[in-house]
Amino acid sequence: MRLDRVAEDIFIVISEMYAQVTAAVIFTNQGAIVIDTLPYPAETRQMLSFIEDKLGADAVRYVVNTHCHADHVYGSYLFESATVISHDLCREILLRSGERLLARAQRENTNLAEVRLRPPQVTFANEMHLHLGPRHVRLIHTPGHTSDSIIAFTVDDRVVIAGDTMMPIPHISGGDITSLVASLRSIQELNPNFIVQGHGDVLLRGEVDEAIETNICYLVTITERVRELVERKQSLASLLSVDIEACGISRIPLDGLVGRIHQTNLNSLYQRFTTEESAD
Ligand SMILES: [Zn+2]
């Protein structure tokens, strides 16, 4: 894992094993708040020992799951003494399909052999406030990437820890574009000094607005392009003509993963629009 720092007491850990997924640690004199974990136990353990070096054992009070996806929640079980917090739907989804998906992931990837699912214990619907030591952290529902997505916002220094609501390319497969655009706007209204993206580098103050506008513009553009192709009865293969950079997104970040996410986004829109057409 790689370390970054956005405030005196806020550290970001970035996975070097899987898709540059990020997790954040907020240190206080009353213990730590961890927002997301890393997918592989080897790296979450490194994160844990980094925290223990500073605060001693069992110092993590809360683990926040920004959404139910494996790459963000699979390390929760390593923080045994912490309370796990999420959106209501995150707990529901993990209870419904978490064990089945984990068993499948473990068959495919030995790095996950020892992972155990740890469902959230405290959940909320719209917003929740965490107060620990001097820190006030707002947890806010921001659906779009998934229905259960939330962000964490540190009220004093305006750091948004965005989970996958903010990424170098929006990822909407299984999610909802209209909600994601609204959620990105609501992040913009928080006027953040930093955005910790769910994957990839931290966005600095000067980059925040442009990055959000780029992501919104991308979502609007792919919606128009795919709708047009479906209306003209073009095949699934025609999606390959929708170039990622023509939609305003660089293909470079996340070691090329953005290109695959782009195709997934197009596919899911295509499926949705063709189903809507046939229902008309
Ligand atoms: Zn993710």
Side-chain angles (χ1 to χ4, degrees), residues 6-7 10 135-136 138 152-161 186-196 203-205 208:
V6 294
I10 306 180
R135 278 292 184 184
H136 174 194
R138 286 171 64 194
F153 176 62
T154 64
V155 171
D156 296 322
D157 46 7
R158 316 189 78 78
V159 177
V160 167
I161 297 147
S186 71
I187 291 179
Q188 211 167 23
E189 278 160 24
L190 293 170
N191 189 21
N193 281 320
F194 295 94
I195 297 181
V196 179
L203 298 172
L204 313 178
R205 177 156 192 80
V208 161

Side-chain angles (χ1 to χ4, degrees), residues 18 21 67 69 71-72 145 163-164 167 171 198-199:
Y18 181 82
V21 62
H67 61 298
H69 284 171
D71 49 339
H72 301 259
H145 169 65
D164 288 356
M167 291 175 59
H171 186 192
H199 296 254

Side-chain angles (χ1 to χ4, degrees), residues 36-272:
D36 279 343
T37 60
L38 298 179
Y40 297 131
E43 280 190 314
T44 304
R45 283 219 166 80
Q46 284 177 33
M47 176 178 167
L48 189 57
S49 55
F50 168 71
I51 299 169
E52 286 179 349
D53 283 349
K54 288 189 179 293
L55 296 182
D58 297 331
V60 177
R61 297 278 304 278
Y62 304 108
V63 171
V64 175
N65 293 155
T66 61
H67 61 298
C68 61
H69 284 171
D71 49 339
H72 301 259
V73 303
Y74 276 2
S76 295
Y77 78 102
L78 289 170
F79 300 89
E80 275 172 50
S81 58
T83 302
V84 182
I85 303 174
S86 78
H87 190 267
D88 296 337
L89 291 172
C90 177
R91 178 180 158 87
E92 252 180 71
I93 297 166
L94 287 173
L95 290 180
R96 193 169 58 230
S97 49
E99 291 293 354
R100 179 174 48 83
L101 293 177
L102 173 60
R104 192 172 75 188
Q106 285 173 325
R107 281 195 297 275
E108 288 165 3
N109 191 329
T110 52
N111 285 314
L112 297 170
E114 60 164 282
V115 171
R116 283 180 285 111
L117 209 60
R118 179 131 189 260
Q121 297 149 299
V122 174
T123 67
F124 67 95
N126 297 317
E127 178 163 353
M128 178 173 175
H129 294 253
L130 271 184
H131 297 271
L132 188 64
R135 278 292 184 184
H136 174 194
V137 181
R138 286 171 64 194
L139 304 177
I140 306 167
H141 188 209
T142 52
H145 169 65
T146 55
S147 56
D148 67 333
S149 288
I150 62 169
I151 59 164
F153 176 62
T154 64
V155 171
D156 296 322
D157 46 7
R158 316 189 78 78
V159 177
V160 167
I161 297 147
D164 288 356
T165 300
M166 190 67 198
M167 291 175 59
I169 179 171
H171 186 192
I172 46 101
S173 139
D176 177 73
I177 283 205
T178 314
S179 315
L180 184 51
V181 169
S183 292
L184 289 169
R185 287 273 174 243
S186 71
I187 291 179
Q188 211 167 23
E189 278 160 24
L190 293 170
N191 189 21
N193 281 320
F194 295 94
I195 297 181
V196 179
Q197 308 191 92
H199 296 254
D201 292 331
V202 171
L203 298 172
L204 313 178
R205 177 156 192 80
E207 303 170 318
V208 161
D209 257 325
E210 193 189 329
I212 292 178
E213 289 301 339
T214 299
N215 279 13
I216 291 175
C217 180
Y218 168 81
L219 291 168
V220 172
T221 307
I222 60 167
T223 305
E224 283 168 2
R225 292 294 312 275
V226 176
R227 197 188 293 280
E228 209 178 276
L229 291 170
V230 170
E231 278 170 8
R232 289 181 13 232
K233 311 256 182 270
Q234 300 295 301
S235 69
L236 192 63
S238 69
L239 295 178
L240 291 170
S241 69
V242 185
D243 180 66
I244 183 171
E245 293 192 336
C247 300
I249 295 281
S250 161
R251 63 177 85 247
I252 294 168
L254 307 184
D255 306 320
L257 174 64
V258 287
R260 291 203 297 283
I261 294 177
H262 175 60
Q263 285 305 320
T264 313
N265 287 340
L266 298 177
N267 275 323
S268 86
L269 276 179
Y270 186 89
Q271 303 300 351
R272 207 187 90 196

